[in-house]
Amino acid sequence: MKLLFVADPLDTFKTYKDSTFAMMREAARRGHVILACEPQQLVWVRGSRVTARRAVEITLTGDADDWYTVAATADVALADVDAVLMRKDPPFDSEFFYATHLLSQAEREGARVFNKPSALREHPEKLAILEFPQFISPTVVTRDPAEIRAFHAEHRDIILKPLDGMGGMGIFRVKDDGLNLGSIIETLNQGGAQTVMVQRFIPAISEGDKRILIIGGKPVPHCLARIPQGGEVRGNLAAGGKGVARPLTARDREIAEYLGPILAARGLLLVGLDVIGENVTEINVTSPTCFQEITDQSGFDVARMFVDALEEALA
């Protein structure tokens, strides 16, 4: 099969931990052809089809640094490959949004796109949890500073986060004393111009912010607990968290087995749930990661499970 990965520049991949690379490596092992482009290479012209201009066909070398060579470069209509994998990293900004519309047009022309573009649009990673209140901690989403202050007055220890952040960026904790709450609201809320998510602080973060992967509606049996280090409240690996693979708990499975089939039915082949204690904090659908960390520590081959599910979806 021919697989087109729409992703960040190949030269920026950190192959020792990159999940997209793990997908490519497993697909190549099975003999599939690997093509790649960046979102800005997607073009639609009236009378034609959505095309990846100058897409590269790559061969994996097995070298950690010079990990690929370019076998060919060509304009490729997305409907002419077997699958398009949208793997552009967050943030979900306007350009990402526009790219999903081009991918939806490609679907109308016959392309198979994973994750489904309309599902990407309908599941912003922080707001998607609102549909499942039974699995989340006390939460408010608002542009009103007074609402934030009232939430703090009720819960006393809170987390504030922007809706478009990634890797733990822009996350603040305000404890009972309310120290710097006004300044943090000003920073995130921008005078009422920016919507903010506020949640009650979950002490179980000390045990890790768990990334639970769901592939084809089924949970990977191990998660990656990202444990804050030093004085940090954030467990994100990008913020210095330590990743420790662990088997899923009974609660983890309950959450994943409930959400998995629902999200898979909407065209989300791959989902990354963020779970702290017994609460879902995010539903990641743009470019879920942690394949290699889970595989390296647990021995469970996540990339193999993913390509199995992809092949099944295309059968």
Side-chain angles (χ1 to χ4, degrees):
M1 295 192 298
K2 288 186 176 181
L3 307 179
L4 172 65
F5 289 81
V6 182
D8 290 297
L10 298 179
D11 291 340
T12 68
F13 280 31
K14 295 180 174 65
T15 56
Y16 66 92
K17 67 174 185 177
D18 193 285
S19 295
T20 303
F21 169 74
M23 296 174 183
M24 291 177 170
R25 181 174 58 191
E26 175 61 21
R29 187 187 68 79
R30 302 185 188 202
H32 301 317
V33 176
I34 307 300
L35 304 167
C37 74
E38 298 174 37
Q40 60 265 36
Q41 292 172 253
L42 299 178
V43 176
W44 181 83
V45 178
R46 192 181 71 167
S48 184
R49 298 176 292 172
V50 177
T51 297
R53 297 290 194 207
R54 301 174 301 283
V56 293
E57 178 184 333
I58 62 173
T59 300
L60 276 58
T61 66
D63 186 273
D65 297 316
D66 297 322
W67 61 274
Y68 72 95
T69 58
V70 176
T73 302
D75 293 348
V76 177
L78 273 58
D80 287 343
V81 302
D82 294 283
V84 178
L85 292 97
M86 180 53 163
R87 289 290 300 173
K88 174 69 178 69
D89 284 346
F92 190 113
D93 56 13
S94 295
E95 287 304 322
F96 189 102
F97 180 73
Y98 302 147
T100 67
H101 280 286
L102 286 173
L103 292 172
S104 287
Q105 175 61 26
E107 284 186 317
R108 289 188 283 271
E109 297 163 0
R112 301 289 303 278
V113 184
F114 304 91
N115 283 328
K116 190 174 179 64
S118 59
L120 291 176
R121 292 193 295 273
E122 289 296 318
H123 295 81
E125 302 190 331
K126 290 180 174 61
L127 294 177
I129 65 171
L130 306 188
E131 183 181 353
F132 308 104
Q134 69 271 39
F135 295 125
I136 71 175
S137 65
T139 299
V140 64
V141 179
T142 183
R143 291 170 61 176
D144 185 349
E147 290 280 358
I148 299 174
R149 292 184 181 279
F151 189 86
H152 177 260
E154 178 182 359
H155 296 287
R156 310 308 304 172
D157 195 353
I158 64 173
I159 293 290
L160 302 93
K161 60 180 75 171
L163 296 182
D164 59 355
M166 58 174 286
M169 181 178 62
I171 292 178
F172 294 90
R173 179 184 180 185
V174 177
K175 299 182 182 180
D176 183 68
D177 58 14
L179 188 64
N180 287 328
L181 178 58
S183 179
I184 292 167
I185 291 174
E186 291 170 7
T187 299
L188 295 180
N189 182 238
Q190 296 290 305
Q194 297 291 327
T195 303
V196 180
M197 173 173 279
V198 191
Q199 297 175 301
R200 186 174 68 189
F201 176 73
I202 305 171
I205 184 61
S206 63
E207 302 166 12
D209 179 356
K210 295 176 286 188
R211 167 57 56 86
I212 300 172
L213 295 172
I214 300 176
I215 298 173
K218 300 176 182 177
V220 171
H222 293 78
C223 66
L224 191 75
R226 298 160 298 175
I227 303 169
Q229 300 296 293
E232 268 290 351
V233 71
R234 301 171 297 173
N236 308 74
L237 300 183
K242 178 183 178 182
V244 179
R246 295 175 180 163
L248 299 186
T249 66
R251 175 62 169 177
D252 294 338
R253 285 195 172 276
E254 176 190 359
I255 294 169
E257 290 174 356
Y258 181 90
L259 294 180
I262 294 172
L263 298 174
R266 298 174 182 176
L268 294 167
L269 182 69
L270 172 61
V271 174
L273 302 180
D274 288 349
V275 175
I276 301 175
E278 297 191 345
N279 298 278
V280 180
T281 59
E282 291 188 20
I283 299 176
N284 295 271
V285 300
T286 55
S287 185
T289 60
C290 297
F291 277 39
Q292 295 203 62
E293 293 90 344
I294 292 173
T295 297
D296 291 345
Q297 294 184 42
S298 72
F300 183 87
D301 195 331
V302 181
R304 177 174 294 181
M305 180 178 176
F306 176 79
V307 179
D308 283 345
L310 177 65
E311 290 177 342
E312 182 179 347
L314 294 169

